[in-house]
Amino acid sequence: MASPMQDPGSSAKPYNDPTPMPADVPKVTELGTTSAPLKSAAFFIGPYCKDYNEDFMLCKAENRDPAHCLKEGRRVTRCATDLITKMRENCLKEFDAHWGCLEKNNQEYYLCRKPERTLNKCMFDKLGLTKTIPNTPEGKTPIHLVESPVFKAVQK
């Protein structure tokens, strides 16, 4: 009995997308990362791509049609790709350690503070980027800088 699922790479005919992007939308390659590297880079992507993100959100508020904001969405993707590339070029060891920790610990930040601190230091030293958590109360130490947090990994 033949399987209904076939490997597209073994097909004799090339794949033709039935819904290709419009010609006026700039081409951009996707990030190609899983959720852990994106979560590791999230607090850097926010401020680094702030202008593009705001343009995209304003566009989405303007019109609910998904096709309306494709160009703005591509700009956001291009900006995030640029930052991830810079992170890999400058802080590869620290970036891999942090997102690997997130991957192994159910994507919980509080279990990965040690590799997070080394990544934050590298990002500041080499790229001048600091991790800032939006809406952190004024005068209160951000959670990622707390030295003795209440929630931490259970050691046995």
Side-chain angles (χ1 to χ4, degrees):
M1 182 170 182
S3 171
M5 300 299 289
Q6 295 180 0
D7 179 22
S10 66
S11 175
K13 292 190 282 183
Y15 176 74
N16 290 322
D17 189 355
T19 56
M21 289 293 236
D24 63 328
V25 175
K27 303 285 185 253
V28 64
T29 55
E30 296 301 322
L31 282 171
T33 60
T34 59
S35 57
L38 285 174
K39 189 165 184 176
S40 176
F43 288 103
F44 299 110
I45 291 173
Y48 187 79
C49 300
K50 184 178 184 202
D51 295 337
Y52 298 110
N53 287 331
E54 287 177 353
D55 285 347
F56 178 74
M57 295 310 291
L58 288 170
C59 181
K60 294 297 283 181
E62 229 175 63
N63 189 329
R64 304 268 310 160
D65 178 22
H68 180 70
C69 300
L70 288 174
K71 286 182 184 177
E72 289 80 1
R74 297 296 178 142
R75 289 184 189 117
V76 171
T77 303
R78 198 173 292 120
C79 180
T81 302
D82 180 49
L83 180 64
I84 296 281
T85 302
K86 286 180 180 178
M87 288 177 77
R88 287 178 176 152
E89 289 170 353
N90 294 287
C91 300
L92 179 64
K93 185 177 74 172
E94 295 86 350
F95 182 46
D96 283 350
H98 186 240
W99 77 255
C101 179
L102 289 171
E103 188 77 27
K104 291 176 189 162
N105 290 294
N106 201 29
Q107 311 250 350
E108 296 286 350
Y109 282 120
Y110 75 94
L111 296 170
C112 300
R113 294 296 181 204
K114 198 176 285 185
E116 180 182 350
R117 285 189 177 111
T118 59
L119 175 63
N120 292 347
K121 182 176 179 347
C122 181
M123 291 294 289
F124 180 75
D125 292 346
K126 295 191 176 173
L127 298 173
L129 297 172
T130 57
K131 176 178 177 175
T132 53
I133 299 175
N135 301 323
T136 300
E138 196 69 35
K140 187 173 180 184
T141 305
I143 189 65
H144 65 284
L145 299 177
V146 173
E147 291 298 323
S148 300
V150 174
F151 297 106
K152 50 188 166 188
V154 176
Q155 302 291 320
K156 290 188 178 191

